[in-house]
Amino acid sequence: MSSLSDIARTLVSDKRGILAADESVGTMGKRLEGVGVESTEENRRLYRELLLTTPDLAASISGAILSDETIRQVLSDGTTFPDALDRIGVLAGIKVDTGAKALAGAPGETVTEGLDGLRDRLEEYVGLGATFTKWRAVYSIGDGLPSERAMHANAHALARYAGLCQEAGLVPIVEPEVVMNGEHSLEQCREVTRTVLRSVFAELGLMGVELEGIVLKPNMVVAGDESGQRPSPSEVARATVDTLRETVPPAVPGIAFLSGGQDPEEATSNLAAMKELAPLPWELTYSFGRALVGPALETWRGSQDQWDAAQKALSERAVANASVR
Ligand code: 13P
């Protein structure tokens, strides 16, 4: 079996990135209903089949993150999703957190849950074919937010999750997301992202997590979506890379960004601008959800006639991201 660092390196190397197709049943339901498709188990399966059978996907995608529902489902021909991915040379991942829940004593803030019973669930996911996992912590910028309490609680949970995954032979994607909703400036996002990442790496260290065997999935440093600011890709790139240099040890093999609601082309341009700042201590790549699948979902809208066009839309985004130098 591959070592943790081999799996982590495979996920972030050769310009390939990770497809986040792990929306919970609730979130997927909202996305499907947004394009006029009823959120049935079969429609959620069909949509994931569309994404994961896109021709030549493995040229630009190294891994696909699935949800608990999808990892148990099969393609129309009966192949399980993890087996279908394995056949084309794409690693199967699984989102293992159970969502961000209100944190006691921290109004307006959340802590991501899912640690109870996680060791047993991980064992089951290994049996189902997963080689890596994801856990997302959420931080909002606002008046006095994020609080130290929320940062500590989330970093602690991320580190306990990462430790359990490595014990099970799974590579944890560690995802602390500072969300872009709000009026904050680029500089405020930078400060908060720096503080958050410092707290996460401090907890990973305490928990004895092997940094060579993780993938970090952070937000890019951007201005709030209600700030009226629109920093250029080179400004985003500089602020993001500077923040990461200050906080992410070089032992981490790779950083795969989330898209966080950015326009798909904007996310690609920002990634390209960051790569121009090479050489960097780690690989930089993408683990986008919406910025990869958004155009495909809009194109498909549940219509069999649009199947090929929707796959083409996903392929275009994946190739565009994999092509940035
Ligand atoms: P977005 O790229 O749509 O932010 O999704 C990435 C993800 O996996 C969120 O957990």
Side-chain angles (χ1 to χ4, degrees), residues 69-235:
E69 180 180 69
T70 312
I71 199 170
R72 301 167 194 284
Q73 290 177 324
V74 294
L75 299 186
S76 303
D77 70 4
T79 314
T80 67
F81 277 97
D83 280 351
L85 291 170
D86 188 49
R87 274 183 208 165
I88 59 169
V90 173
L91 296 175
I94 176 77
K95 187 249 303 289
V96 302
D97 69 65
T98 54
K101 308 284 162 57
L103 175 64
E109 297 189 285
T110 60
V111 63
T112 300
E113 296 189 347
L115 290 170
D116 285 359
L118 183 57
R119 183 178 271 121
D120 293 340
R121 287 196 290 128
L122 294 178
E123 195 183 316
E124 188 194 4
Y125 289 138
V126 169
L128 291 170
T131 57
F132 71 101
T133 59
K134 185 191 103 170
W135 178 292
R136 171 176 176 257
V138 187
Y139 307 85
S140 299
I141 302 181
D143 203 10
L145 303 188
S147 67
E148 218 174 308
R149 183 169 294 162
M151 283 192 285
H152 181 72
N154 277 296
H156 176 82
L158 274 169
R160 284 187 57 197
Y161 141 79
L164 280 165
C165 291
Q166 291 192 336
E167 179 190 274
L170 293 160
V171 166
I173 294 185
V174 173
E175 181 179 9
E177 176 176 5
V178 178
V179 295
M180 71 180 210
N181 313 70
E183 297 177 359
H184 54 270
S185 64
L186 179 86
E187 195 47 44
Q188 282 172 294
C189 180
R190 188 183 157 167
E191 291 292 320
V192 169
T193 303
R194 178 165 50 199
T195 311
V196 162
L197 290 175
R198 281 200 177 132
S199 77
V200 169
F201 281 98
E203 290 285 340
L204 292 174
L206 274 175
M207 216 54 76
V209 172
E210 190 189 314
L211 295 185
E212 291 80 359
I214 72 165
V215 171
L216 179 70
K217 176 164 173 170
N219 52 286
M220 298 181 192
V221 174
V222 294
D225 59 356
E226 289 167 34
S227 66
Q229 288 185 1
R230 189 135 180 141
S232 66
S234 62
E235 288 169 316

Side-chain angles (χ1 to χ4, degrees), residues 20 22 134 136 175 217 258-261 287-290:
D22 61 324
K134 185 191 103 170
R136 171 176 176 257
E175 181 179 9
K217 176 164 173 170
L258 59 92
S259 61
S287 176
F288 298 157
R290 287 161 287 179

Side-chain angles (χ1 to χ4, degrees), residues 54 292-297 299 308-318:
T54 292
L292 277 173
V293 304
L297 183 58
T299 304
D308 293 348
Q311 290 190 325
K312 193 157 169 279
L314 168 59
S315 191
E316 273 172 17
R317 291 315 324 145

